[in-house]
Amino acid sequence: MRIDPEIYLVIFGKMNDRLKNGIALSLIPQIIVVKWLGSYPEIIERYYSHGLYPVFSWFFRTLFGWIPFSVGDLIYACLFLLAIWYILVRKKHILQRPKIFLRNIVLVLSVAYFTFHLLWGFNYYRQPLTSSLGLKETYTRDDLLVLTKKLIEVTNQLQWQINKDTLNRVEIPFSHREIFKKTVQGYQDLHRQFPFLRYSRPSVKTSLFSTLLTYMGYGGYLNPFTNEAQVNRKIPNFRFPIVAGHEMAHQLGYSAENETNFVGYLVTLNNDDTYFKYAATAYALGYCLIEIRKTDEAGFKKLYADLNAGVVRNFEEMKDFWKAYENPMEPVFKSVFSTFLKANNQEEGIDSYNRIVSLLVTYHEKYPLSQP
């Protein structure tokens, strides 16, 4: 008996549609399961952040770390061009069958959601860094003032130690590659004090999209699908070591932005290089001064007046850099990112970056900041 080949096409076409529909519809139970598992941070910490995730992270950093350019950026660019090509070529079909197009979009989102959480995203639900460091959760205003004054003292000393004057800003003389290498060494040194911050198989690069990142207001990002740490090559070297340390902390599985900010500070502060120490203390000082300014403008001005002119010039360098790239779309990009963070267990969204102050104060209560 002969069977028309077109019957097979119809049968497999329907099976293909059923599979696509199933994958698309699985997005809803995926979200439910992720939120349910996220309510058990101890389980996430033990079985994912210290179990499954390090295997994925090690594999992708080994696979892509030796390549001098960002593979993840190229993949994103190709996917973007492919999406544009699909819309242009299939425009008539999309207009005729909009439900199928919508289904396909949900299908892609479903696959991306699953892959994102498998490879990195469950880290959003792990235990807080304060648990690993044994830190308090709260601090007083007096505690903040004590640390801020100490940071002013140390930052001024480091600035003078580097420049031998108080007037000129610090110019970090290293290339991006040298900064990456020194940051990796900083993690190796820090690992001796905190074994859970062990970093191996480096995969940190400057982003191919650095100009776009600058207009969006970002210093870098982690590609969760290739585990490459991307740093904006345009940012001044004064801030580059901190951002490199921040993005590498994401590779270690720390997702909360205040925590990666803090780890970036910690690894830069504990580096043997004086330029790195200066970049770290000035970074922490900036956050502490901003926190004081929220409730005490006069107190902020008094503290700010105690800074060496060279330190002030470094702060102005960063301010002028970001101001040069201000554009109407930047608030939109940041709003989208803030919404993304809120959807991933960071209730304060982009404002969570500022919560580094609590970690700074409570950490230095336990480990006092030493003189340079």
Side-chain angles (χ1 to χ4, degrees):
M1 181 177 68
R2 180 179 180 275
I3 299 179
D4 194 323
E6 291 186 3
I7 295 178
Y8 285 101
L9 294 176
V10 172
I11 293 173
F12 287 113
K14 289 183 177 180
M15 287 180 62
N16 191 41
D17 279 339
R18 283 200 295 269
L19 180 60
K20 289 180 179 179
N21 291 339
I23 294 174
L25 291 173
S26 72
L27 179 60
I28 296 174
Q30 281 186 66
I31 294 173
I32 294 172
V33 170
V34 166
K35 298 302 179 183
W36 175 69
L37 287 174
S39 63
Y40 298 96
E42 299 86 359
I43 293 177
I44 296 294
E45 185 77 18
R46 180 175 180 180
Y47 294 105
Y48 181 79
S49 297
H50 288 286
L52 190 61
Y53 170 73
V55 176
F56 290 135
S57 179
W58 179 90
F59 173 77
F60 283 107
R61 294 211 304 268
T62 301
L63 183 63
F64 298 120
W66 63 275
I67 301 175
F69 56 85
S70 172
V71 177
D73 280 355
L74 287 180
I75 292 174
Y76 281 160
C78 290
L79 289 175
F80 176 77
L81 293 174
L82 182 62
I84 298 298
W85 173 84
Y86 177 83
I87 291 173
L88 293 175
V89 172
R90 305 279 289 178
K91 181 179 178 181
K92 184 176 180 180
H93 179 77
I94 291 171
L95 294 175
Q96 291 175 343
R97 307 183 69 183
K99 291 183 180 179
I100 297 297
F101 179 61
L102 180 61
R103 190 276 312 275
N104 290 340
I105 291 176
V106 177
L107 183 149
V108 171
L109 291 176
S110 180
V111 172
Y113 188 84
F114 176 83
T115 308
F116 170 75
H117 282 90
L118 178 66
L119 297 182
W120 193 81
F122 273 114
N123 286 312
Y124 278 115
Y125 302 94
R126 68 184 301 182
Q127 290 179 317
L129 183 60
T130 51
S131 299
S132 300
L133 293 172
L135 302 181
K136 299 189 306 182
E137 295 287 344
T138 59
Y139 66 93
T140 67
R141 177 172 175 76
D142 287 341
D143 296 333
L144 174 59
L145 286 172
V146 168
L147 176 61
T148 304
K149 291 176 181 178
K150 184 64 176 179
L151 283 168
I152 290 174
E153 177 186 352
V154 172
T155 303
N156 281 342
Q157 289 178 358
L158 288 167
Q159 185 273 336
W160 185 89
Q161 186 176 329
I162 292 170
N163 285 347
K164 303 305 180 185
D165 67 50
T166 62
L167 299 177
N168 294 317
R169 74 184 186 189
V170 171
E171 300 276 358
I172 296 180
F174 309 123
S175 68
H176 293 159
R177 186 181 296 274
E178 289 172 327
I179 291 175
F180 289 152
K181 185 176 181 179
K182 285 177 174 290
T183 304
V184 171
Q185 182 60 52
Y187 269 102
Q188 293 173 352
D189 295 339
L190 191 62
H191 164 248
R192 299 189 185 101
Q193 183 179 4
F194 302 115
F196 57 89
L197 292 178
R198 181 175 181 271
Y199 182 91
S200 61
R201 299 291 178 177
S203 182
V204 54
K205 308 165 184 182
T206 55
S207 175
L208 300 177
F209 302 143
S210 291
T211 299
L212 177 62
L213 288 176
T214 308
Y215 280 109
M216 294 171 70
Y218 301 145
Y221 77 98
L222 172 73
N223 188 311
F225 304 106
T226 62
N227 216 265
E228 293 169 293
Q230 321 276 352
V231 182
N232 183 342
R233 66 163 58 91
K234 288 186 171 293
I235 61 175
N237 267 14
F238 169 61
R239 186 53 43 82
F240 202 92
I242 289 285
V243 178
H246 173 113
E247 301 306 333
M248 292 162 75
H250 277 313
Q251 289 179 307
L252 292 180
Y254 291 98
S255 56
E257 297 300 337
N258 63 313
E259 294 183 352
T260 47
N261 263 357
F262 177 73
V263 175
Y265 158 77
L266 201 59
V267 73
T268 308
L269 177 70
N270 284 273
N271 199 290
D272 289 336
D273 188 89
T274 305
Y275 288 99
F276 271 56
K277 291 181 182 295
Y278 174 75
T281 59
Y283 180 73
L285 176 58
Y287 271 107
C288 290
L289 288 171
I290 289 171
E291 192 66 21
I292 291 171
R293 189 176 191 177
K294 290 178 182 178
T295 56
D296 185 4
E297 181 72 23
F300 161 78
K301 290 180 178 179
K302 185 176 180 181
L303 290 167
Y304 198 76
D306 291 334
L307 294 176
N308 288 352
V311 178
V312 172
R313 287 192 169 95
N314 274 125
F315 285 154
E316 291 175 344
E317 174 188 16
M318 291 305 305
K319 180 181 177 181
D320 292 343
F321 170 76
W322 290 115
K323 188 174 181 179
Y325 288 91
E326 284 182 353
N327 64 91
M329 289 302 296
E330 181 181 337
V332 177
F333 292 131
K334 288 188 174 180
S335 178
V336 171
F337 184 52
S338 186
T339 301
F340 170 81
L341 291 176
K342 290 177 181 178
N344 284 280
N345 207 38
Q346 296 194 51
E347 295 179 359
E348 296 183 40
I350 203 167
D351 291 335
S352 63
Y353 281 81
N354 299 323
R355 290 175 55 204
I356 184 181
V357 174
S358 177
L359 287 166
L360 290 169
V361 174
T362 56
Y363 176 82
H364 283 301
E365 280 185 341
K366 187 174 183 178
Y367 304 98
L369 188 63
S370 60
Q371 298 292 336

